[in-house]
mmCIF file with all atom_site columns, all heavy atoms in Angstrom:
data_model
loop_
_atom_site.group_PDB
_atom_site.id
_atom_site.type_symbol
_atom_site.label_atom_id
_atom_site.label_alt_id
_atom_site.label_comp_id
_atom_site.label_asym_id
_atom_site.label_entity_id
_atom_site.label_seq_id
_atom_site.pdbx_PDB_ins_code
_atom_site.Cartn_x
_atom_site.Cartn_y
_atom_site.Cartn_z
_atom_site.occupancy
_atom_site.B_iso_or_equiv
_atom_site.pdbx_formal_charge
_atom_site.auth_seq_id
_atom_site.auth_comp_id
_atom_site.auth_asym_id
_atom_site.auth_atom_id
_atom_site.pdbx_PDB_model_num
ATOM 1   N N   . GLY X 1 79 ? 36.259 -26.067 -24.023 1.00 98.00 ? 79 GLY X N   1
ATOM 2   C CA  . GLY X 1 79 ? 37.015 -24.879 -23.644 1.00 98.00 ? 79 GLY X CA  1
ATOM 3   C C   . GLY X 1 79 ? 36.174 -23.804 -22.979 1.00 98.00 ? 79 GLY X C   1
ATOM 4   O O   . GLY X 1 79 ? 36.584 -22.656 -22.884 1.00 98.00 ? 79 GLY X O   1
ATOM 5   N N   . PHE X 1 80 ? 34.985 -24.173 -22.535 1.00 98.00 ? 80 PHE X N   1
ATOM 6   C CA  . PHE X 1 80 ? 34.095 -23.223 -21.878 1.00 98.00 ? 80 PHE X CA  1
ATOM 7   C C   . PHE X 1 80 ? 34.573 -22.918 -20.460 1.00 98.00 ? 80 PHE X C   1
ATOM 8   O O   . PHE X 1 80 ? 34.981 -23.802 -19.722 1.00 98.00 ? 80 PHE X O   1
ATOM 9   C CB  . PHE X 1 80 ? 32.677 -23.807 -21.827 1.00 98.00 ? 80 PHE X CB  1
ATOM 10  C CG  . PHE X 1 80 ? 31.608 -22.781 -21.551 1.00 98.00 ? 80 PHE X CG  1
ATOM 11  C CD1 . PHE X 1 80 ? 30.994 -22.104 -22.583 1.00 98.00 ? 80 PHE X CD1 1
ATOM 12  C CD2 . PHE X 1 80 ? 31.215 -22.502 -20.255 1.00 98.00 ? 80 PHE X CD2 1
ATOM 13  C CE1 . PHE X 1 80 ? 30.010 -21.152 -22.337 1.00 98.00 ? 80 PHE X CE1 1
ATOM 14  C CE2 . PHE X 1 80 ? 30.235 -21.556 -19.996 1.00 98.00 ? 80 PHE X CE2 1
ATOM 15  C CZ  . PHE X 1 80 ? 29.625 -20.883 -21.039 1.00 98.00 ? 80 PHE X CZ  1
ATOM 16  N N   . HIS X 1 81 ? 34.543 -21.633 -20.102 1.00 98.00 ? 81 HIS X N   1
ATOM 17  C CA  . HIS X 1 81 ? 34.927 -21.214 -18.744 1.00 98.00 ? 81 HIS X CA  1
ATOM 18  C C   . HIS X 1 81 ? 33.686 -20.726 -18.008 1.00 98.00 ? 81 HIS X C   1
ATOM 19  O O   . HIS X 1 81 ? 33.189 -19.642 -18.280 1.00 98.00 ? 81 HIS X O   1
ATOM 20  C CB  . HIS X 1 81 ? 35.957 -20.090 -18.794 1.00 98.00 ? 81 HIS X CB  1
ATOM 21  C CG  . HIS X 1 81 ? 37.303 -20.523 -19.260 1.00 98.00 ? 81 HIS X CG  1
ATOM 22  N ND1 . HIS X 1 81 ? 38.291 -20.915 -18.397 1.00 98.00 ? 81 HIS X ND1 1
ATOM 23  C CD2 . HIS X 1 81 ? 37.812 -20.646 -20.513 1.00 98.00 ? 81 HIS X CD2 1
ATOM 24  C CE1 . HIS X 1 81 ? 39.369 -21.242 -19.092 1.00 98.00 ? 81 HIS X CE1 1
ATOM 25  N NE2 . HIS X 1 81 ? 39.112 -21.092 -20.372 1.00 98.00 ? 81 HIS X NE2 1
ATOM 26  N N   . PHE X 1 82 ? 33.214 -21.536 -17.071 1.00 97.00 ? 82 PHE X N   1
ATOM 27  C CA  . PHE X 1 82 ? 31.976 -21.186 -16.367 1.00 97.00 ? 82 PHE X CA  1
ATOM 28  C C   . PHE X 1 82 ? 32.108 -19.956 -15.471 1.00 97.00 ? 82 PHE X C   1
ATOM 29  O O   . PHE X 1 82 ? 31.120 -19.333 -15.117 1.00 97.00 ? 82 PHE X O   1
ATOM 30  C CB  . PHE X 1 82 ? 31.491 -22.387 -15.535 1.00 97.00 ? 82 PHE X CB  1
ATOM 31  C CG  . PHE X 1 82 ? 30.725 -23.376 -16.334 1.00 97.00 ? 82 PHE X CG  1
ATOM 32  C CD1 . PHE X 1 82 ? 31.343 -24.515 -16.829 1.00 97.00 ? 82 PHE X CD1 1
ATOM 33  C CD2 . PHE X 1 82 ? 29.385 -23.162 -16.608 1.00 97.00 ? 82 PHE X CD2 1
ATOM 34  C CE1 . PHE X 1 82 ? 30.632 -25.431 -17.585 1.00 97.00 ? 82 PHE X CE1 1
ATOM 35  C CE2 . PHE X 1 82 ? 28.666 -24.070 -17.360 1.00 97.00 ? 82 PHE X CE2 1
ATOM 36  C CZ  . PHE X 1 82 ? 29.290 -25.211 -17.854 1.00 97.00 ? 82 PHE X CZ  1
ATOM 37  N N   . GLU X 1 83 ? 33.321 -19.625 -15.101 1.00 96.00 ? 83 GLU X N   1
ATOM 38  C CA  . GLU X 1 83 ? 33.494 -18.493 -14.185 1.00 96.00 ? 83 GLU X CA  1
ATOM 39  C C   . GLU X 1 83 ? 33.493 -17.142 -14.887 1.00 96.00 ? 83 GLU X C   1
ATOM 40  O O   . GLU X 1 83 ? 33.556 -16.110 -14.239 1.00 96.00 ? 83 GLU X O   1
ATOM 41  C CB  . GLU X 1 83 ? 34.748 -18.677 -13.324 1.00 96.00 ? 83 GLU X CB  1
ATOM 42  C CG  . GLU X 1 83 ? 36.071 -18.654 -14.089 1.00 96.00 ? 83 GLU X CG  1
ATOM 43  C CD  . GLU X 1 83 ? 36.473 -20.018 -14.662 1.00 96.00 ? 83 GLU X CD  1
ATOM 44  O OE1 . GLU X 1 83 ? 35.605 -20.747 -15.154 1.00 96.00 ? 83 GLU X OE1 1
ATOM 45  O OE2 . GLU X 1 83 ? 37.661 -20.335 -14.625 1.00 96.00 ? 83 GLU X OE2 1
ATOM 46  N N   . TYR X 1 84 ? 33.397 -17.152 -16.218 1.00 97.00 ? 84 TYR X N   1
ATOM 47  C CA  . TYR X 1 84 ? 33.362 -15.886 -16.958 1.00 97.00 ? 84 TYR X CA  1
ATOM 48  C C   . TYR X 1 84 ? 32.032 -15.714 -17.667 1.00 97.00 ? 84 TYR X C   1
ATOM 49  O O   . TYR X 1 84 ? 31.602 -16.584 -18.420 1.00 97.00 ? 84 TYR X O   1
ATOM 50  C CB  . TYR X 1 84 ? 34.491 -15.825 -17.995 1.00 97.00 ? 84 TYR X CB  1
ATOM 51  C CG  . TYR X 1 84 ? 35.856 -15.706 -17.374 1.00 97.00 ? 84 TYR X CG  1
ATOM 52  C CD1 . TYR X 1 84 ? 36.594 -16.841 -17.054 1.00 97.00 ? 84 TYR X CD1 1
ATOM 53  C CD2 . TYR X 1 84 ? 36.396 -14.459 -17.101 1.00 97.00 ? 84 TYR X CD2 1
ATOM 54  C CE1 . TYR X 1 84 ? 37.851 -16.735 -16.466 1.00 97.00 ? 84 TYR X CE1 1
ATOM 55  C CE2 . TYR X 1 84 ? 37.641 -14.335 -16.515 1.00 97.00 ? 84 TYR X CE2 1
ATOM 56  C CZ  . TYR X 1 84 ? 38.367 -15.478 -16.204 1.00 97.00 ? 84 TYR X CZ  1
ATOM 57  O OH  . TYR X 1 84 ? 39.593 -15.367 -15.619 1.00 97.00 ? 84 TYR X OH  1
ATOM 58  N N   . PHE X 1 85 ? 31.390 -14.578 -17.412 1.00 97.00 ? 85 PHE X N   1
ATOM 59  C CA  . PHE X 1 85 ? 30.137 -14.261 -18.093 1.00 97.00 ? 85 PHE X CA  1
ATOM 60  C C   . PHE X 1 85 ? 29.941 -12.749 -18.067 1.00 97.00 ? 85 PHE X C   1
ATOM 61  O O   . PHE X 1 85 ? 30.603 -12.041 -17.307 1.00 97.00 ? 85 PHE X O   1
ATOM 62  C CB  . PHE X 1 85 ? 28.946 -14.977 -17.435 1.00 97.00 ? 85 PHE X CB  1
ATOM 63  C CG  . PHE X 1 85 ? 28.935 -14.888 -15.930 1.00 97.00 ? 85 PHE X CG  1
ATOM 64  C CD1 . PHE X 1 85 ? 28.371 -13.789 -15.302 1.00 97.00 ? 85 PHE X CD1 1
ATOM 65  C CD2 . PHE X 1 85 ? 29.498 -15.882 -15.161 1.00 97.00 ? 85 PHE X CD2 1
ATOM 66  C CE1 . PHE X 1 85 ? 28.366 -13.700 -13.919 1.00 97.00 ? 85 PHE X CE1 1
ATOM 67  C CE2 . PHE X 1 85 ? 29.514 -15.791 -13.771 1.00 97.00 ? 85 PHE X CE2 1
ATOM 68  C CZ  . PHE X 1 85 ? 28.942 -14.699 -13.149 1.00 97.00 ? 85 PHE X CZ  1
ATOM 69  N N   . THR X 1 86 ? 29.036 -12.273 -18.924 1.00 94.00 ? 86 THR X N   1
ATOM 70  C CA  . THR X 1 86 ? 28.825 -10.819 -18.998 1.00 94.00 ? 86 THR X CA  1
ATOM 71  C C   . THR X 1 86 ? 27.647 -10.363 -18.150 1.00 94.00 ? 86 THR X C   1
ATOM 72  O O   . THR X 1 86 ? 27.579 -9.209  -17.765 1.00 94.00 ? 86 THR X O   1
ATOM 73  C CB  . THR X 1 86 ? 28.576 -10.370 -20.458 1.00 94.00 ? 86 THR X CB  1
ATOM 74  O OG1 . THR X 1 86 ? 27.504 -11.127 -20.999 1.00 94.00 ? 86 THR X OG1 1
ATOM 75  C CG2 . THR X 1 86 ? 29.828 -10.562 -21.305 1.00 94.00 ? 86 THR X CG2 1
ATOM 76  N N   . GLU X 1 87 ? 26.695 -11.249 -17.900 1.00 93.00 ? 87 GLU X N   1
ATOM 77  C CA  . GLU X 1 87 ? 25.516 -10.886 -17.116 1.00 93.00 ? 87 GLU X CA  1
ATOM 78  C C   . GLU X 1 87 ? 25.032 -12.076 -16.326 1.00 93.00 ? 87 GLU X C   1
ATOM 79  O O   . GLU X 1 87 ? 25.105 -13.209 -16.788 1.00 93.00 ? 87 GLU X O   1
ATOM 80  C CB  . GLU X 1 87 ? 24.355 -10.503 -18.046 1.00 93.00 ? 87 GLU X CB  1
ATOM 81  C CG  . GLU X 1 87 ? 24.288 -9.075  -18.459 1.00 93.00 ? 87 GLU X CG  1
ATOM 82  C CD  . GLU X 1 87 ? 23.065 -8.896  -19.347 1.00 93.00 ? 87 GLU X CD  1
ATOM 83  O OE1 . GLU X 1 87 ? 23.153 -9.253  -20.521 1.00 93.00 ? 87 GLU X OE1 1
ATOM 84  O OE2 . GLU X 1 87 ? 22.036 -8.445  -18.832 1.00 93.00 ? 87 GLU X OE2 1
ATOM 85  N N   . GLN X 1 88 ? 24.509 -11.791 -15.159 1.00 92.00 ? 88 GLN X N   1
ATOM 86  C CA  . GLN X 1 88 ? 23.857 -12.821 -14.360 1.00 92.00 ? 88 GLN X CA  1
ATOM 87  C C   . GLN X 1 88 ? 22.486 -12.286 -14.002 1.00 92.00 ? 88 GLN X C   1
ATOM 88  O O   . GLN X 1 88 ? 22.378 -11.238 -13.368 1.00 92.00 ? 88 GLN X O   1
ATOM 89  C CB  . GLN X 1 88 ? 24.669 -13.062 -13.082 1.00 92.00 ? 88 GLN X CB  1
ATOM 90  C CG  . GLN X 1 88 ? 24.059 -14.060 -12.158 1.00 92.00 ? 88 GLN X CG  1
ATOM 91  C CD  . GLN X 1 88 ? 24.777 -14.078 -10.810 1.00 92.00 ? 88 GLN X CD  1
ATOM 92  O OE1 . GLN X 1 88 ? 25.481 -13.131 -10.469 1.00 92.00 ? 88 GLN X OE1 1
ATOM 93  N NE2 . GLN X 1 88 ? 24.602 -15.123 -10.046 1.00 92.00 ? 88 GLN X NE2 1
ATOM 94  N N   . ILE X 1 89 ? 21.434 -12.953 -14.469 1.00 89.00 ? 89 ILE X N   1
ATOM 95  C CA  . ILE X 1 89 ? 20.088 -12.451 -14.168 1.00 89.00 ? 89 ILE X CA  1
ATOM 96  C C   . ILE X 1 89 ? 19.214 -13.585 -13.668 1.00 89.00 ? 89 ILE X C   1
ATOM 97  O O   . ILE X 1 89 ? 19.409 -14.749 -14.003 1.00 89.00 ? 89 ILE X O   1
ATOM 98  C CB  . ILE X 1 89 ? 19.422 -11.788 -15.398 1.00 89.00 ? 89 ILE X CB  1
ATOM 99  C CG1 . ILE X 1 89 ? 19.280 -12.781 -16.550 1.00 89.00 ? 89 ILE X CG1 1
ATOM 100 C CG2 . ILE X 1 89 ? 20.206 -10.567 -15.866 1.00 89.00 ? 89 ILE X CG2 1
ATOM 101 C CD1 . ILE X 1 89 ? 18.269 -12.340 -17.566 1.00 89.00 ? 89 ILE X CD1 1
ATOM 102 N N   . HIS X 1 90 ? 18.233 -13.238 -12.842 1.00 85.00 ? 90 HIS X N   1
ATOM 103 C CA  . HIS X 1 90 ? 17.228 -14.228 -12.446 1.00 85.00 ? 90 HIS X CA  1
ATOM 104 C C   . HIS X 1 90 ? 15.857 -13.580 -12.526 1.00 85.00 ? 90 HIS X C   1
ATOM 105 O O   . HIS X 1 90 ? 15.371 -12.972 -11.584 1.00 85.00 ? 90 HIS X O   1
ATOM 106 C CB  . HIS X 1 90 ? 17.499 -14.843 -11.068 1.00 85.00 ? 90 HIS X CB  1
ATOM 107 C CG  . HIS X 1 90 ? 18.199 -13.960 -10.116 1.00 85.00 ? 90 HIS X CG  1
ATOM 108 N ND1 . HIS X 1 90 ? 17.569 -13.221 -9.162  1.00 85.00 ? 90 HIS X ND1 1
ATOM 109 C CD2 . HIS X 1 90 ? 19.520 -13.692 -9.990  1.00 85.00 ? 90 HIS X CD2 1
ATOM 110 C CE1 . HIS X 1 90 ? 18.453 -12.534 -8.487  1.00 85.00 ? 90 HIS X CE1 1
ATOM 111 N NE2 . HIS X 1 90 ? 19.636 -12.782 -8.943  1.00 85.00 ? 90 HIS X NE2 1
ATOM 112 N N   . PRO X 1 91 ? 15.236 -13.735 -13.717 1.00 79.00 ? 91 PRO X N   1
ATOM 113 C CA  . PRO X 1 91 ? 13.973 -13.048 -13.986 1.00 79.00 ? 91 PRO X CA  1
ATOM 114 C C   . PRO X 1 91 ? 12.835 -13.449 -13.056 1.00 79.00 ? 91 PRO X C   1
ATOM 115 O O   . PRO X 1 91 ? 12.020 -12.609 -12.710 1.00 79.00 ? 91 PRO X O   1
ATOM 116 C CB  . PRO X 1 91 ? 13.652 -13.436 -15.426 1.00 79.00 ? 91 PRO X CB  1
ATOM 117 C CG  . PRO X 1 91 ? 14.618 -14.484 -15.821 1.00 79.00 ? 91 PRO X CG  1
ATOM 118 C CD  . PRO X 1 91 ? 15.704 -14.547 -14.826 1.00 79.00 ? 91 PRO X CD  1
ATOM 119 N N   . ASP X 1 92 ? 12.757 -14.695 -12.678 1.00 77.00 ? 92 ASP X N   1
ATOM 120 C CA  . ASP X 1 92 ? 11.639 -15.115 -11.826 1.00 77.00 ? 92 ASP X CA  1
ATOM 121 C C   . ASP X 1 92 ? 12.096 -15.451 -10.411 1.00 77.00 ? 92 ASP X C   1
ATOM 122 O O   . ASP X 1 92 ? 11.384 -16.083 -9.652  1.00 77.00 ? 92 ASP X O   1
ATOM 123 C CB  . ASP X 1 92 ? 10.933 -16.323 -12.452 1.00 77.00 ? 92 ASP X CB  1
ATOM 124 C CG  . ASP X 1 92 ? 11.912 -17.437 -12.769 1.00 77.00 ? 92 ASP X CG  1
ATOM 125 O OD1 . ASP X 1 92 ? 13.073 -17.340 -12.333 1.00 77.00 ? 92 ASP X OD1 1
ATOM 126 O OD2 . ASP X 1 92 ? 11.522 -18.402 -13.458 1.00 77.00 ? 92 ASP X OD2 1
ATOM 127 N N   . ASN X 1 93 ? 13.286 -15.027 -10.075 1.00 77.00 ? 93 ASN X N   1
ATOM 128 C CA  . ASN X 1 93 ? 13.866 -15.255 -8.749  1.00 77.00 ? 93 ASN X CA  1
ATOM 129 C C   . ASN X 1 93 ? 14.117 -16.722 -8.427  1.00 77.00 ? 93 ASN X C   1
ATOM 130 O O   . ASN X 1 93 ? 14.404 -17.078 -7.300  1.00 77.00 ? 93 ASN X O   1
ATOM 131 C CB  . ASN X 1 93 ? 13.008 -14.637 -7.636  1.00 77.00 ? 93 ASN X CB  1
ATOM 132 C CG  . ASN X 1 93 ? 13.163 -13.126 -7.634  1.00 77.00 ? 93 ASN X CG  1
ATOM 133 O OD1 . ASN X 1 93 ? 14.261 -12.613 -7.851  1.00 77.00 ? 93 ASN X OD1 1
ATOM 134 N ND2 . ASN X 1 93 ? 12.074 -12.427 -7.385  1.00 77.00 ? 93 ASN X ND2 1
#
Side-chain angles (χ1 to χ4, degrees):
F80 197 90
H81 289 267
F82 278 98
E83 65 274 40
Y84 291 90
F85 46 85
T86 54
E87 272 181 281
Q88 178 190 19
I89 60 161
H90 30 97
D92 53 10
N93 286 321

